[in-house]
Amino acid sequence: FRAKRDFSGFLMTASHCDSPTFKIKENAELTGSGCRRLAVEKYGGMLMSTWMDRPLGIAGRGLLRKGSGIESRLLDLGGACAVIPNVAIHMNRKANDGYSWNPAVDLLPLWGAGEEKGFFRPTLAMALACREEDILATDLALYNPQEGVEWNGLLSAPRLDDLQCAFSGLTAFLAAGESRAVPVCCIFDNEEVGSETKQGAASSFLSDTLRRVAHALGLDGEDYLRLLAQSFLVSADNAHAVHPNHPEFADMDNTPHLNGGVVVKFNANQRYTTDAVSCALFRAVCREADAPVQVYANRSDLPGGSTLGSIATAKVSVPSVDIGLAQLAMHSCVETAGAADMDALVRAMTVYYGKTLARAGETLTLA
C-alpha cells in the first residue's frame, strides 16, 4: 500500500493448529511389570479409546544449553515408538459395555520391555544431536503417524479438525489476487483447551499484530478503530456431519452432510459468531466461487462445542462468520470428511481474500 488512503480494512481467516493428544510429562519414565512406560497427561477432549493399540509417534521440541544461551530444536522420534495397549477381552469382560477409561492408569503408553530407568532421555539426546546433560526442558506429545487416505470420495486422516481449515485458509491466502484490503491468515494454538494462552485466540496477539500493521501503513489509533468496522473475520473450524448410524443426534433440518459443501454454523447463545449479515456476505462469496453451502445448528436439547470466533472477536471487534467442513468422529485419533468439501473451501476463501469490505450506513458489501 502506497499510503493509508489505499487501505480499506483487514480480511481475516482464523483456524487452529492443535488437536487432542497426550503430552509427555517432564519426568517421563515409568517402570514396573517388566515394561517401560511414559507418564502422560491428556490434552483436550478426545475419544480416548481410539488411541489404543496403534503405533504412535513422539514429536515436539527440546530446549538445549548452547554456550551461554539456550537453543530450541524440533525433534521427531518417528512413527512407531510407543503404543497404548488395551486389556484383553478375557481379562476385561466389560470392555464392550461402556468402559470408562482412567487416563492415569489405562492410557499410559508402552515404550518397551525392561525394568531399567534411564531409557528415554538418551533417545531424546540422539534425536536432538546433543549431549543428554545439555537438555534443559522439552515440550513433547504423542501423535498418530498414519497417513491420510482418500477412499470412495471421502478422506480419513488424523487431525482433520482443524488442519483442514488451516490448510484451506493458507492455500487461499497464498493464491488470492490483490485487493484494497490487507489479507490476514491467523492460525492459533490451544483452541482445544480454551484458547486462553499467549498464542491462543483469547490473547492480544491478533490485536497487537493488526495495530502494528496499521501503524506501518501510516494509520493512527483512531484510523485503526474506524477501519476495523470495514474488516471481516472468517472463523474456520470443522463441523459435525450427520452420523449415518446415529442421525438422532442431529437437527436433521440444520445439519451438514459429507461432500455437501462449506458449512455455515449458527448458535443462538453465540458459541458461533454467525448472524444474518455475516451469513449473507459469506453466501455471496461462496456463490461467486461456485462453492456449495450448507448450515449447521445443534439439536436444541444437546449442547454443542464452541470455537475460536467468539473469543477472537471479543478482542478484535469485527463482523464475523463461523464456518467449517463437515466431518465424522471429531476428536478421534482418525477422523473422516468429504474430499470434495476442502476444494470448495479453498475456492471460497480465494475469492474472499480478493474482496474489499465496504460499509454505507447499515449496508455492508464485499466487492
Side-chain angles (χ1 to χ4, degrees):
F1 297 98
R2 294 181 299 277
K4 66 181 182 182
R5 65 177 177 275
D6 296 325
F7 172 47
S8 66
F10 300 99
L11 287 184
M12 298 173 279
T13 65
S15 51
H16 66 91
C17 59
D18 63 319
S19 300
T21 184
F22 293 89
K23 295 293 182 78
I24 297 175
K25 295 183 177 181
E26 192 69 17
N27 294 325
E29 296 184 356
L30 301 172
T31 59
S33 302
C35 290
R36 298 166 173 174
R37 297 170 298 156
L38 298 175
V40 296
E41 186 175 6
K42 266 191 338 108
Y43 174 90
M46 65 181 69
L47 288 168
M48 290 186 285
S49 63
T50 65
W51 286 80
M52 312 289 284
D53 302 321
R54 62 172 73 236
L56 299 172
I58 295 174
R61 64 177 175 178
L63 279 297
L64 315 177
R65 182 183 296 108
K66 188 74 171 179
S68 60
I70 297 173
E71 179 183 353
S72 176
R73 293 184 190 173
L74 299 180
L75 69 91
D76 186 344
L77 299 186
C81 58
V83 69
I84 303 174
N86 246 310
V87 175
I89 189 67
H90 312 78
M91 302 170 187
N92 181 12
R93 298 289 181 177
K94 296 183 178 180
N96 296 320
D97 300 329
Y99 186 74
S100 179
W101 307 101
N102 183 337
V105 177
D106 300 307
L107 300 175
L108 299 176
L110 173 68
W111 173 266
E115 289 280 1
E116 307 84 7
K117 284 200 171 186
F119 57 87
F120 192 53
R121 288 179 73 84
T123 305
L124 298 182
M126 183 178 299
L128 290 165
C130 71
R131 299 181 304 171
E132 186 178 342
E133 57 267 29
D134 288 335
I135 301 174
L136 299 175
T138 58
D139 287 322
L140 302 173
L142 300 181
Y143 71 93
N144 178 6
Q146 175 182 332
E147 293 186 358
V149 293
E150 186 175 348
W151 56 280
N152 295 344
L154 302 179
L155 178 67
S156 292
R159 300 175 292 279
L160 292 180
D161 172 29
D162 186 34
L163 295 187
Q164 265 196 311
C165 289
F167 172 84
S168 300
L170 181 58
T171 300
F173 175 83
L174 296 174
E178 293 186 3
S179 77
R180 290 187 59 234
V182 172
V184 180
C185 180
C186 317
I187 301 178
F188 291 108
D189 197 2
N190 301 134
E191 191 274 344
E192 300 293 1
V193 291
S195 295
E196 293 187 346
T197 64
K198 65 183 183 302
Q199 61 268 17
S203 71
S204 65
F205 182 67
L206 176 57
S207 175
D208 293 344
T209 300
L210 298 183
R211 287 180 182 275
R212 287 170 175 167
V213 171
H215 178 73
L217 293 171
L219 298 169
D220 61 23
E222 182 59 31
D223 289 331
Y224 166 74
L225 294 175
R226 176 175 55 81
L227 286 171
L228 280 185
Q230 292 177 201
S231 299
F232 197 83
L233 173 68
V234 176
S235 169
D237 196 0
N238 275 2
H240 301 291
V242 59
H243 196 289
N245 300 332
H246 291 283
E248 70 274 12
F249 293 132
D251 177 343
M252 291 302 293
D253 295 316
N254 293 278
T255 195
H257 298 263
L258 302 179
N259 285 328
V262 182
V263 181
V264 178
K265 301 192 285 187
F266 294 86
N267 183 264
N269 295 302
Q270 292 299 292
R271 289 178 178 267
Y272 307 128
T273 59
T274 309
D275 58 20
V277 173
S278 63
C279 175
L281 289 172
F282 191 73
R283 279 183 182 273
V285 167
C286 289
R287 185 180 299 113
E288 182 176 337
D290 193 27
V293 175
Q294 48 188 340
V295 299
Y296 172 77
N298 296 321
R299 234 182 73 156
S300 299
D301 57 347
L302 293 176
S306 59
T307 187
L308 51 81
S310 293
I311 297 170
T313 54
K315 305 294 182 179
V316 178
S317 297
V318 297
S320 177
V321 63
D322 262 290
I323 62 101
L325 297 176
Q327 71 163 86
L328 297 171
M330 188 176 290
H331 291 191
S332 172
C333 204
V334 176
E335 301 164 324
T336 297
D341 289 337
M342 194 157 65
D343 290 335
L345 181 56
V346 170
R347 294 198 304 273
M349 292 294 203
T350 303
V351 169
Y352 164 75
Y353 270 129
K355 295 295 184 181
T356 299
L357 183 66
R359 180 184 291 273
E362 292 299 313
T363 303
L364 282 173
T365 59
L366 271 171

